[in-house]
Amino acid sequence: MSHEPAEVRFHVEGEALAGWWFQPATPVRSPCPCIVMAHGLGGTRDAGLVPYARAFAEAGFAVLLFDYRHFGASAGEPRQLVSVQRQLADWQGAIDFARQQQGIDPERIALWGSSFSGGHVLVAAARDGGVAAVSAQGPMMDGLAAVLNVVSYAGIGGILRLSTLALRDQLRALVGGAPLYAPIVGRPGETAAMATEDAYDGYRAIAPPDWRNELAARLALQLPLYRPLRHARRLTCPALIQVCGRDSVAPPEAAEKAVSRAGGRAELKRYEDLGHFDIYVGDGFERSCADQIDFFQRHLLS
């Protein structure tokens, strides 16, 4: 059965966020658990996440899939601005919205994240304290490690070009100027947030035709300071951490450290043959999605 979502709106700090609500035809239990989802760096809800949401709804879970402020169908100016703190506030707003929906069990809210949001869900769950389960695939768990990874494939020159653009963008923001944008993905050798061998084609494979391949460059200044793995010890719920063995974007070692720090609350699932973007499509999607459904069934129904 195809699950078509309903358009919903909720507000965070006075700004409207757009979401899709997937209501299961046959809820797995009553009141129903809900899985809250959002994308990674620069991603929108229509960039490869709907197949996951539909699969979860087919399995009997309600799903809220939303766009961050400044992206997609959500409000927020300037456009294409990645603010870690605002996105974490958006996660809390989405959790609160899901808890308030009729027929939803407020004590059985799970979070699903991927790449950049794979780190967000760990932080959001640790801060909230009442989330029932967390699933993070190919997660960015350490911004400093991610920056060093850029140096490893783009060299010092590559990171200096990106940092210079970021500093110029931040200075413009301080005087009220329009953002300076950097590509989210580029070919090897190009200045972009991600410019590995598989980044451009991998992201384009899941992105809709109108997806904007740009973000405000100032993110590069805050990224090294954002280290979600530091919150792993505060996690109070079960977590599934899915690591791609050939991940060229989100260092797998950082995700493994997060699992170690979370102790028995986290379980690690490795896909040795998958790259960062392989997990969204084809066999990678089928395997990761099946493992996620199994995880949610074990921890949201017990």
Side-chain angles (χ1 to χ4, degrees):
M1 179 188 299
S2 174
H3 287 262
E4 295 304 321
E7 186 78 25
V8 296
R9 290 284 190 276
F10 58 97
H11 289 78
V12 176
E13 298 173 349
E15 295 183 294
L17 275 71
W20 282 328
W21 184 271
F22 294 78
Q23 183 66 31
T26 306
V28 71
R29 58 168 289 155
S30 181
C32 188
C34 180
I35 300 168
V36 181
M37 303 176 59
H39 220 311
L41 187 66
T44 49
R45 57 184 175 168
D46 53 355
L49 299 194
V50 169
Y52 286 100
R54 285 185 172 148
F56 299 153
E58 288 282 357
F61 300 101
V63 179
L64 172 61
L65 171 57
F66 72 94
D67 278 336
Y68 299 112
R69 282 176 289 174
H70 307 281
F71 286 89
S74 291
E77 295 291 338
R79 303 307 293 170
Q80 305 300 110
L81 172 67
V82 177
S83 164
V84 169
Q85 292 309 314
R86 288 188 183 188
Q87 290 193 351
L88 289 173
D90 293 347
W91 272 101
Q92 188 61 60
I95 294 168
D96 294 340
F97 176 79
R99 283 181 174 143
Q100 296 165 5
Q101 300 313 295
Q102 185 174 6
I104 297 302
D105 188 338
E107 296 184 357
R108 296 177 190 269
I109 303 296
L111 309 184
W112 183 100
S114 185
S115 192
F116 201 59
S117 67
H120 282 345
V121 293
L122 191 73
V123 179
R127 288 182 173 181
D128 180 82
V131 168
V134 167
S135 175
Q137 67 173 31
M140 197 295 294
M141 288 293 184
D142 187 346
L144 180 58
V147 169
L148 294 175
N149 183 59
V150 174
V151 175
S152 73
Y153 68 74
I156 295 297
I159 199 66
L160 285 177
R161 288 192 297 271
L162 189 59
S163 299
T164 299
L165 186 61
L167 182 59
R168 291 173 56 204
D169 179 42
Q170 186 64 65
L171 291 174
R172 285 173 68 111
L174 292 175
V175 297
L180 286 177
Y181 292 106
I184 298 170
V185 288
R187 305 287 187 186
E190 296 178 346
T191 299
M194 294 177 279
T196 57
E197 291 286 346
D198 59 341
Y200 186 87
D201 291 336
Y203 212 136
R204 284 293 187 181
I206 62 172
D210 60 350
W211 174 69
R212 292 178 60 176
N213 181 24
E214 60 182 7
L215 51 74
R218 69 197 73 167
L219 172 68
L221 299 180
Q222 60 177 295
L223 183 59
L225 305 178
Y226 184 46
R227 310 185 73 185
L229 61 80
R230 290 181 170 177
H231 296 260
R233 290 193 178 94
R234 296 173 49 214
L235 197 64
T236 59
C237 66
L240 172 65
I241 310 297
Q242 296 173 298
V243 173
C244 299
R246 297 172 54 207
D247 199 320
S248 62
V249 173
E253 297 80 9
E256 291 167 352
K257 284 183 182 179
V259 172
S260 177
R261 293 186 181 190
R265 294 178 299 282
E267 58 186 82
L268 175 67
K269 186 72 175 181
R270 291 187 62 94
Y271 307 89
E272 298 295 347
D273 58 325
L274 297 184
H276 188 77
F277 298 95
D278 296 331
I279 202 167
Y280 295 96
V281 295
D283 179 65
F285 163 77
E286 297 294 340
R287 289 155 57 192
S288 64
C289 189
D291 289 335
Q292 290 158 12
I293 291 173
D294 172 72
F295 171 77
F296 289 135
Q297 288 173 336
R298 284 187 284 118
H299 294 291
L300 294 180
L301 303 184
S302 61

